[in-house]
C-alpha cells in the first residue's frame, strides 16, 4: 500500500494480510459462487471474533481491542482488498453492535457484548423497511406498551445479516410516542420470521435478510437508551458506518488498480505490453490519482472521529466520493482487462465489479450523502 498517515496503520495492514492469506484467500471464490440458498460463513465470522476484528475499535472495558477509528477503517480497507464481501462481513458485525456499545446501559452491555464481540452470536442493525429506506424516519414498525413488555409488529428488508442474526438492534416507533426508538431483540422467537434474500448481485458472502415481525414480545428492560432517540442513534451509527463504506471502497479500488497494473505489464498487444500504450497509462493514472484523493478523505473522516470532532460532513463526503471512485476504478479495470475481466474464471475483476455497486447504495445512497453534505455546507 502506497500511503500511511499513521505508523500504526502498517501494523494493522500486516495483521489483516496475515489473516486474509490464512483464512480468506483460500475460500474467497468458493463463497462468492455458492449456490442458493447461500449460507452465512459462521466459521470465518468466529475467526474474526477470535482475532478481535469484531470489536477492533470497541473500548477495552467493553471487551474490544480499543484501537482507534483510523486503525479500524484501515483493517476494513485491507480486508476488502483481499475480498470486499468478507471485509463487509466484518464491518457489519461492528456496525450492528455499535448502538449497544454507545447507547446501551451497563447491564445490556454485559449481557450482549461478550458474545457479539467474540463472534459467538451475530447482531443485525434492523432499520430499513419496504417503505423506509432513504426516508429512514418513516418506519411503520410499531411496539405497543403492554406493561412489562413491548409487543412488536413490523416488516424489515435489506438487513445485512438479518437472515441469521441472534440479536437485533431494532428501530421502531413506540405506539402513541413521537419519533423512533430502539430495542434490543433476541430473535429466537416464533414471531420473528427471517429469510435470506436471493439473487444478490455482489457481496455474496455477507448475506442480506428480510424479516417479518409478528407479535414479538420484547421485555421492557431491552429498551435501548431513551424513548424517542432511535433516529438519532441510527444516524450517529451510520455516520461511523459511512467511513467504513469509504474504507471498503478504498480497499476494493486499490485491488482493481493493482490488478490492472499487473495485467497491463504482462498482456501483449501490437508487439508490446499494453502498459506501453498511452490509452492504458492514462486510465491507470486517473485511477491512481482518484484513489489517493479518496484514501485521504477516508482517513481524514476517521481522524476527526478519533479527535472527538464533528464528522458527519466528512463521513458523508468520504462515503460519496470513495464509493464513486471505486465505481470508476472497477469500470476502468474491466476495460483494461477486456474479456479477461468480464469472465470471472480469468480474474477477480468480474467479482469486484459486482461487489462495488452496492457501495453507492447502502448506508445511505450517493443522493442521501449529497443531501447530508448540502445540509452541512449550505445550512438547513
Ligand atoms: N447525528 C446525530 N443526530 C442527527 C444526525 C447525526 N448525524 N443527523 C440527524 N440527526 C438528528 C437531528 O439533529 C434531528 O434531531 P431533532 O429531531 O432533535 O431536531 C433529527 O435527527 C432529524 O434530523 P433531520 O431533520 O436532518 O433528518 P431528516 O428527516 O431530514 O433526514 C436524512 C435526514 C435523509 C439524511 C436521513 O434520513 C438519512 O440519512 N437517510 C438515509 C438512511 C440510510 O442511510 N439508510 C441506509 C440503510 S441503514 S443500513
Amino acid at each position: 500500500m502506497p500511503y500511511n498517515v499513521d505508523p500504526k496503520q502498517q501494523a494493522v495492514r500486516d495483521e489483516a494480510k496475515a489473516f486474509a492469506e490464512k483464512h480468506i484467500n483460500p475460500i474467497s471464490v468458493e463463497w462468492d459462487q455458492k449456490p442458493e440458498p447461500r449460507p452465512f460463513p459462521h466459521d470465518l465470522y468466529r475467526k474474526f471474533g477470535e482475532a478481535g476484528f469484531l470489536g477492533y475499535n470497541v473500548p477495552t472495558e467493553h471487551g474490544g481491542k480499543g484501537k482507534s477509528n483510523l486503525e479500524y477503517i484501515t483493517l476494513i480497507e485491507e480486508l476488502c482488498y483481499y475480498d470486499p464481501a468478507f471485509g463487509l462481513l466484518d464491518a457489519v458485525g461492528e456496525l450492528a453492535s455499535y448502538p449497544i456499545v454507545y447507547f446501551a446501559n451497563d447491564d445490556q452491555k454485559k449481557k450482549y457484548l461478550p458474545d457479539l464481540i467474540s463472534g459467538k452470536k451475530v447482531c443485525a442493525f434492523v432499520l430499513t423497511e419496504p417503505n423506509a429506506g432513504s426516508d429512514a424516519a418513516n418506519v411503520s414498525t410499531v411496539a405497543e406498551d403492554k406493561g412489562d413488555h413491548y409487543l412488536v409488529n413490523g416488516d424489515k428488508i435489506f438487513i445485512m445479516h438479518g437472515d441469521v442474526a441472534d440479536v437485533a438492534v431494532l428501530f421502531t416507533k413506540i405506539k402513541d410516542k413521537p419519533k423512533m426508538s430502539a430495542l434490543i431483540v433476541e430473535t429466537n422467537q416464533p414471531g420473528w420470521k427471517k429469510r435470506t434474500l436471493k439473487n444478490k448481485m455482489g457481496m455474496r458472502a455477507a448475506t442480506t435478510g428480510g424479516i417479518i415481525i409478528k407479535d414479538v414480545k420484547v421485555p421492557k428492560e431491552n429498551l435501548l437508551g431513551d424513548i424517542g432517540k432511535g433516529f438519532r442513534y441510527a444516524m450517529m451509527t451510520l455516520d461511523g458506518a459511512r467511513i467504513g463504506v469509504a474504507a471498503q471502497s478504498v480497499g476494493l479500488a486499490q485491488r482493481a488498480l493493482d490488478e490492472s497494473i499487473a495485467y497491463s505489464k504482462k498482456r501483449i498487444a501490437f508487439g508490446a505490453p499494453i502498459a506501453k500504450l498511452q490509452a492504458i497509462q492514462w486510465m491507470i493514472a486517473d485511477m491512481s490519482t482518484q484513489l489517493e484523493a479518496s484514501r485521504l478523505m477516508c482517513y481524514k473522516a476517521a481522524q476527526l472521529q478519533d479527535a472527538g470532532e464533528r464528522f458527519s460532513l466528512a463521513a458523508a463526503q468520504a462515503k460519496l466520493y470513495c464509493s464513486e471512485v471505486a465505481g470508476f476504478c472497477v469500470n476502468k479495470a474491466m476495460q483494461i482487462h477486456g474479456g479477461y475481466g468480464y469472465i470471472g474464471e480469468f480474474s477477480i475483476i468480474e467479482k469486484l465489479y459486482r461487489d462495488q455497486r452496492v457501495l453507492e447504495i447502502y448506508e445511505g445512497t450517493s443522493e442521501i450523502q449529497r443531501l447530508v453534505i448540502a445540509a452541512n455546507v449550505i445550512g438547513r
Side-chain angles (χ1 to χ4, degrees):
M1 291 285 171
Y3 181 75
N4 287 295
V5 171
D6 181 338
K8 287 182 185 162
Q9 286 180 288
Q10 192 52 51
V12 179
R13 294 192 198 290
D14 293 343
E15 191 182 9
K17 182 169 190 270
F19 183 95
E21 284 176 350
K22 190 165 175 199
H23 300 301
I24 293 181
N25 293 354
I27 61 170
S28 173
V29 172
E30 175 200 339
W31 276 83
D32 182 57
Q33 295 179 359
K34 273 192 191 294
E36 313 247 29
R38 204 160 280 129
F40 182 86
H42 283 287
D43 283 352
L44 186 72
Y45 197 77
R46 276 186 217 104
K47 285 184 184 124
F48 278 147
E50 284 158 21
F53 289 0
L54 293 171
Y56 212 60
N57 57 352
V58 172
T60 47
E61 66 263 33
H62 303 317
K65 275 205 141 182
K67 304 274 186 183
S68 66
N69 291 298
L70 182 62
E71 290 171 285
Y72 163 65
I73 61 111
T74 305
L75 174 74
I76 297 303
E77 173 192 335
E78 206 66 17
L79 293 176
C80 287
Y81 179 87
Y82 294 98
D83 186 321
F86 284 124
L88 173 63
L89 187 80
D90 189 82
V92 172
E94 288 253 356
L95 151 80
S97 53
Y98 181 97
I100 301 181
V101 174
Y102 289 98
F103 312 122
N105 61 36
D106 285 345
D107 288 345
Q108 292 167 335
K109 283 179 193 163
K110 272 192 208 121
K111 183 168 179 190
Y112 293 107
L113 286 179
D115 282 351
L116 299 182
I117 289 174
S118 66
K120 284 193 193 114
K121 288 192 176 167
V122 179
C123 189
F125 179 86
V126 184
L127 172 64
T128 301
E129 299 187 356
N131 291 313
S134 292
D135 187 7
N138 189 38
V139 296
S140 53
T141 296
V142 176
E144 216 176 318
D145 189 335
K146 294 284 185 186
D148 64 341
H149 67 274
Y150 293 108
L151 193 67
V152 188
N153 283 281
D155 187 356
K156 298 286 183 179
I157 198 154
F158 307 137
I159 307 300
M160 293 301 311
H161 305 179
D163 53 333
V164 291
D166 308 284
V167 177
V169 173
L170 174 72
F171 294 90
T172 177
K173 292 227 162 91
I174 294 182
K175 197 173 174 193
D176 300 328
K177 304 273 185 206
K179 300 190 180 172
M180 193 157 77
S181 299
L183 303 173
I184 304 173
V185 183
E186 295 179 22
T187 68
N188 57 346
Q189 313 188 36
W192 186 274
K193 294 202 183 335
K194 45 198 181 190
R195 72 179 180 98
T196 308
L197 303 184
K198 288 185 253 169
N199 294 334
K200 192 160 84 159
M201 178 179 178
M203 298 291 199
R204 290 176 173 169
T207 57
T208 308
I211 305 159
I212 305 284
I213 306 162
K214 181 119 183 55
D215 291 338
V216 166
K217 284 185 182 175
V218 181
K220 275 283 184 62
E221 68 254 27
N222 281 26
L223 175 71
L224 182 67
D226 298 326
I227 289 180
K229 290 216 177 138
F231 187 72
R232 196 177 168 74
Y233 299 153
M235 290 299 117
M236 290 170 79
T237 305
L238 286 174
D239 278 346
R242 286 168 184 168
I243 309 176
V245 179
Q248 293 165 34
S249 306
V250 171
L252 185 152
Q254 182 73 54
R255 182 66 181 270
L257 174 61
D258 289 354
E259 294 288 331
S260 299
I261 293 169
Y263 179 79
S264 67
K265 286 182 178 170
K266 70 171 196 242
R267 172 69 172 165
I268 307 293
F270 309 107
I274 61 171
K276 295 275 183 200
L277 300 173
Q278 212 172 45
I280 302 295
Q281 291 173 1
W282 287 13
M283 282 193 248
I284 288 176
D286 286 344
M287 289 163 79
S288 158
T289 304
Q290 293 185 31
L291 174 58
E292 277 314 287
S294 62
R295 177 172 278 122
L296 290 173
M297 289 178 76
C298 179
Y299 295 170
K300 176 193 161 185
Q303 285 173 318
L304 284 175
Q305 187 180 11
D306 281 328
E309 307 269 341
R310 293 196 57 175
F311 66 97
S312 302
L313 171 62
Q317 288 173 329
K319 199 273 183 188
L320 170 65
Y321 188 74
C322 299
S323 62
E324 293 193 353
V325 165
F328 175 82
C329 289
V330 289
N331 200 29
K332 292 299 176 206
M334 180 74 78
Q335 201 63 23
I336 290 167
H337 282 75
Y340 292 102
Y342 192 72
I343 306 287
E345 73 168 75
F346 297 112
S347 74
I348 194 177
I349 302 303
E350 179 268 345
K351 177 178 177 329
L352 294 181
Y353 195 88
R354 285 185 287 106
D355 287 348
Q356 180 277 332
R357 192 62 185 83
V358 76
L359 300 171
E360 296 176 50
I361 297 172
Y362 60 27
E363 324 292 23
T365 60
S366 289
E367 292 69 29
I368 287 295
Q369 305 314 319
R370 288 185 169 92
L371 281 183
V372 172
I373 294 163
N376 273 276
V377 301
I378 301 171
R380 285 169 202 279

